Amino acid sequence: MSQRPIKRELPWRPRSLQARQMLAASLGLVAFLALAGYALDRAFVDVASQGQRDRLRGSAFTYAGDVEFARDGTLIAPEFPPDERFERPGSGSYAAVVMEDGIWLSGSAQGPVLPELELLEPGQEKIDGPLPILDSAGLPGEVIRYGRGFALVRESGGEETELLYTVYILEDAGTLPRQVQVFRQALWRYLGVAGVILLLLQALVLRWSLRPLRNVIAELKRVQRGEANRMGELHPRELEPLTDSINALIESERQNLEHQRNTMSDLAHSLKTPLAVLHTRLQAGASDAELRDELAIQLRRMNDLVGYQLGRAASSGHKLFSAPVEIEPYAEEIVRGLEKIYAAQGVICEFDIDPSARFHGEPGDLQELLGNLLENAFKWARRRVLLTVRPGEPQPNRRPGLRLAVDDDGPGIQPDRIAHVLQRGVRGDERVQGHGIGLAIVQDIVHSYRGELHVGRSEELGGARFEVVLPPGL
């Protein structure tokens, strides 16, 4: 026993274009802001660290330039320090001058236990830390220490002596981290606000950029509900191929539906007469033999009608995106058959076919076009028939059209008779065998391809000329 396939629903649905773009842009924006924030943070730390070193070095050189020494080598402290914090207890900034026979401490360094301070060689520079200290309250802390060695040359008794001393500047190690923390808080706060604003702006830009696509969807829904016959014409260039294809599909489906309705209407109308004849014979009380004969006749007639209508329905539809069909092989096959049928007339068919010309449609439609036009030409020609095929005018981004003409050297068609001859069921001459539907089929097929059928007099052969012009396709 066969099992029916189980339809499984997908566990997920593809995201919309707007959601995809919003997600991708948001992730990109967050990544960019994170990288920018990290880069700014590292740059600030580097700049702040360098600024701290420069500040300590500057204070050291200022102290070195302001201090003085008495004759006995005693240090005379500067009256005004480079920064008032060096005199304020608990400020976290300390200054010290180390000499060979002692050490001088700034006012802020009176009380705290500082790290060991050594005498450096002249010109020697040293920065290290964080180093542990005990503040004036006995609480542990850390400092960054910068030291620079100096030498003072003095004359005494005609002799020059060199006085060595080292200036140390110490600063609370938490100063730089506190600055970095304040900067980081401000940085991420501002980046967060900027990110929110950019996300909102991005959503507005995305919504604005996708508005044409939403308009296309809205138009398509109106077409589906029957509120509009086709898509609009004003769309961005990127969407024009889509809307043109949708309009072509709508037009093709509308034409196919109209043709099917016409076919069913024609079939119903054609069958009414045979059915009415049978009904009349039954009502008249005809004999069984007469009814059988009449029934056979009418059934044969109805079978012919049904066969014709089905063949007509099959030849009318075409695909929008069919492969190009080479024309000459079909033309040769049709002409070989026609030359056998009209062998008694001695008609010769000549070809003037451009090798690059192609028919973009159903091969069956091409056969119907060539078959009906060439058969009509053979029927009326005296000796010559000419088939001319040329590609249409090229247009950018579209497949080329087609110009197909059939000329004969027959009597031709009077201009006032052209519209009459193209009507379904009308023959150019009642004495000539035929059903009068060949040219009507040609005209319907040409219209289904949105082309034109021109009928006139042949300038080259003097008879009739039937020219089919098919426009460029999508």
Side-chain angles (χ1 to χ4, degrees):
M1 184 175 64
S2 62
Q3 296 181 350
R4 298 181 61 186
I6 300 175
K7 183 179 180 181
R8 296 182 178 179
E9 294 185 357
L10 292 174
W12 55 273
R13 293 185 60 189
R15 291 186 177 91
S16 66
L17 292 178
Q18 182 169 350
R20 287 170 181 265
Q21 294 189 21
M22 192 65 187
L23 178 61
S26 300
L27 291 177
L29 178 61
V30 170
F32 170 76
L33 292 178
L35 291 175
Y38 176 78
L40 291 174
D41 179 81
R42 298 313 306 166
F44 178 81
V45 170
D46 293 341
V47 171
S49 299
Q50 184 62 41
Q52 183 184 48
R53 290 191 293 270
D54 293 342
R55 183 173 62 255
L56 296 178
R57 183 182 296 106
S59 299
F61 275 93
T62 301
Y63 260 111
D66 290 345
V67 297
E68 297 179 358
F69 292 91
R71 290 184 175 273
D72 58 358
T74 304
L75 183 144
I76 302 174
E79 184 178 358
F80 301 103
D83 192 324
E84 57 89 15
R85 290 180 298 172
F86 290 111
E87 296 298 326
R88 189 175 71 244
S91 64
S93 295
Y94 315 100
V97 179
V98 179
M99 297 167 289
E100 293 179 347
D101 55 355
I103 184 172
W104 173 87
L105 299 174
S106 65
S108 61
Q110 303 293 333
V113 179
L114 302 178
E116 182 179 355
L117 304 175
E118 61 180 344
L119 186 65
L120 301 178
E121 295 294 329
Q124 182 181 357
E125 193 176 52
K126 182 178 182 181
I127 182 168
D128 53 2
L131 302 174
I133 68 167
L134 293 177
D135 63 14
S136 56
L139 299 177
E142 293 181 329
V143 293
I144 301 297
R145 181 179 64 184
Y146 173 82
R148 172 74 184 221
F150 296 92
L152 178 64
V153 179
R154 303 179 62 185
E155 292 186 3
S156 176
E159 296 183 359
E160 291 185 353
T161 59
E162 190 176 50
L163 177 63
L164 302 180
Y165 66 99
T166 301
V167 178
Y168 281 98
I169 304 296
L170 299 92
E171 187 175 81
D172 185 5
T175 301
L176 180 60
R178 284 193 297 270
Q179 293 177 348
V180 172
Q181 182 179 5
V182 172
F183 173 79
R184 285 174 176 171
Q185 291 176 351
L187 172 66
W188 294 114
R189 182 169 60 251
Y190 289 132
L191 285 179
V193 173
V196 172
I197 294 175
L198 289 176
L199 284 175
L200 293 176
L201 181 61
Q202 175 180 273
L204 293 176
V205 171
L206 185 60
R207 184 173 180 82
W208 173 78
S209 62
L210 290 179
R211 181 181 298 174
L213 193 57
R214 289 194 298 271
N215 293 339
V216 169
I217 295 174
E219 289 184 10
L220 187 57
K221 288 182 178 179
R222 287 197 295 271
V223 172
Q224 291 174 340
R225 291 193 298 263
E227 298 175 1
N229 294 327
R230 64 198 313 274
M231 305 291 290
E233 299 294 337
L234 299 178
H235 295 286
R237 288 190 301 271
E238 294 80 3
L239 295 178
E240 283 183 354
L242 174 63
T243 55
D244 289 346
S245 297
I246 292 175
N247 282 332
L249 179 62
I250 292 172
E251 186 65 24
S252 177
E253 291 301 317
R254 183 178 293 116
Q255 290 178 359
N256 289 338
L257 179 59
E258 182 179 357
H259 175 75
Q260 295 300 329
R261 288 174 178 172
N262 292 338
T263 300
M264 296 306 297
S265 176
D266 293 347
L267 179 60
H269 183 271
S270 300
L271 293 177
K272 284 172 60 178
T273 301
L275 292 174
V277 171
L278 291 176
H279 179 72
T280 303
R281 298 295 288 173
L282 287 173
Q283 293 296 329
S287 64
D288 292 343
E290 291 176 342
L291 286 177
R292 282 196 298 270
D293 293 340
E294 190 65 41
L295 181 61
I297 295 172
Q298 299 304 326
L299 285 177
R300 185 167 58 252
R301 182 180 180 188
M302 286 188 287
N303 185 64
D304 293 340
L305 290 172
V306 172
Y308 159 69
Q309 294 294 350
L310 291 178
R312 180 70 184 89
S315 68
S316 64
H318 70 279
K319 296 180 181 178
L320 284 175
F321 307 108
S322 302
V325 179
E326 192 174 355
I327 298 171
E328 188 167 356
Y330 289 93
E332 289 180 349
E333 181 181 355
I334 292 170
V335 168
R336 279 197 299 267
L338 291 175
E339 286 178 344
K340 293 177 182 179
I341 296 174
Y342 295 94
Q345 297 179 213
V347 178
I348 298 176
C349 183
E350 304 172 12
F351 288 168
D352 184 9
I353 301 176
D354 190 319
S356 64
R358 294 292 185 272
F359 176 77
H360 293 270
E362 293 295 322
D365 291 341
L366 177 61
Q367 289 178 326
E368 286 290 334
L369 282 174
L370 292 175
N372 285 289
L373 290 176
L374 289 172
E375 183 179 7
N376 183 75
F378 268 81
K379 187 183 302 181
W380 293 98
R382 296 187 179 94
R383 287 290 182 270
R384 294 180 60 195
V385 172
L386 175 62
L387 172 62
T388 305
V389 181
R390 295 284 185 272
E393 292 295 330
Q395 290 188 12
N397 301 324
R398 287 180 178 267
R399 64 189 186 190
L402 184 70
R403 302 183 73 91
L404 185 151
V406 176
D407 298 75
D408 63 68
D409 59 352
I413 304 175
Q414 296 298 323
D416 57 348
R417 292 276 298 168
I418 292 176
H420 180 70
V421 169
L422 293 178
Q423 293 179 10
R424 181 177 298 180
V426 176
R427 301 200 297 269
D429 190 337
E430 296 296 332
R431 296 170 295 179
V432 180
Q433 184 180 0
H435 300 284
I437 63 174
L439 295 179
I441 292 175
V442 170
Q443 186 170 231
D444 289 345
I445 293 175
V446 171
H447 287 169
S448 70
Y449 283 85
R450 298 180 298 280
E452 297 177 356
L453 174 62
H454 303 289
V455 182
R457 178 164 293 277
S458 172
E459 295 182 1
E460 185 170 350
L461 301 184
R465 176 182 175 88
F466 291 82
E467 182 179 17
V468 174
V469 180
L470 301 182
L474 295 176

